[in-house]
Amino acid sequence: MKREDYINWDEYFMGIALLSAKRSKDPSTQVGACIVKDNKILGMGYNGFPKGISDTDFPWAKEGNDVDTKYPYVCHAELNAILNSNFNLEGANIYVTLFPCNECTKAIIQSGIKSIKFLEDKDFKSTNEIASKKMLDYLNIKYEKIKKPEIKL
């Protein structure tokens, strides 16, 4: 008789996104992403500085002069997952721990990803998130908030 307490595909791939987020060195926000097609992982990413940029020489601050904060330097998890993939992402799905900003939404659209599953939606009234949802709705790209997987190791 087979085991009945195995995790489903959404739990599995969101678990990979959550594990990827653990690689982020950002002291305030850790985000992970996992791109999937036909239940195969095509790319993973987390928020951090671009390759070659020192995470000790550049700021992690959230406030201050714009150039002295993390915001102009950090690559988001979704963009890193797209850039880390060597596959055609047309028709793929992305699992991400935080709903994508408008810039990542544009990259998701351009890459051909067809759906987004996310855990958190912390800035649901921000201009960035409203713009993201407006673009996704216009193109009929599905997005769905799912429950955090309860994975027992």
Side-chain angles (χ1 to χ4, degrees):
M1 201 151 184
K2 75 175 182 176
R3 232 178 92 228
E4 296 295 330
D5 62 342
Y6 58 91
I7 61 175
N8 66 36
W9 287 115
D10 282 347
E11 292 169 321
Y12 179 72
F13 295 125
M14 190 57 80
I16 301 291
L18 285 163
L19 188 60
S20 295
K22 299 280 188 193
R23 284 284 310 143
S24 175
K25 295 177 184 173
D26 189 320
S28 60
T29 306
Q30 300 82 45
V31 181
C34 180
I35 302 172
V36 177
K37 186 174 182 180
D38 299 326
N39 291 332
K40 293 181 179 74
I41 296 171
L42 305 181
M44 295 179 294
Y46 55 89
N47 59 313
F49 294 136
K51 189 180 347 179
I53 301 293
S54 170
D55 54 28
T56 55
D57 294 338
F58 279 73
W60 286 109
K62 288 175 68 172
E63 296 177 10
N65 295 330
D66 285 345
V67 77
D68 295 327
T69 67
K70 65 182 178 176
Y71 299 111
Y73 309 108
V74 169
C75 287
H76 289 181
E78 303 92 325
L79 183 59
N80 272 328
I82 290 166
L83 296 173
N84 288 337
S85 177
N86 290 324
F87 298 97
N88 177 353
L89 303 180
E90 194 72 39
N93 306 301
I94 189 166
Y95 289 80
V96 63
T97 58
L98 185 62
F99 188 83
C101 72
N102 63 310
E103 293 298 321
C104 287
T105 296
K106 290 186 271 188
I108 288 167
I109 290 166
Q110 288 295 95
S111 72
I113 291 172
K114 69 173 183 179
S115 77
I116 301 165
K117 296 199 179 185
F118 64 97
L119 288 181
E120 292 183 52
D121 195 6
K122 74 176 185 177
D123 294 324
F124 68 94
K125 290 185 179 178
S126 74
T127 302
N128 284 344
E129 189 156 320
I130 291 167
S132 292
K133 288 179 179 174
K134 190 172 183 175
M135 288 186 282
L136 295 169
D137 290 342
Y138 182 82
L139 294 169
N140 238 2
I141 296 173
K142 295 178 179 23
Y143 52 93
E144 175 187 6
K145 185 173 185 173
I146 63 174
K147 195 173 99 177
K148 187 174 182 176
E150 295 181 29
I151 301 171
K152 296 173 191 161
L153 300 176

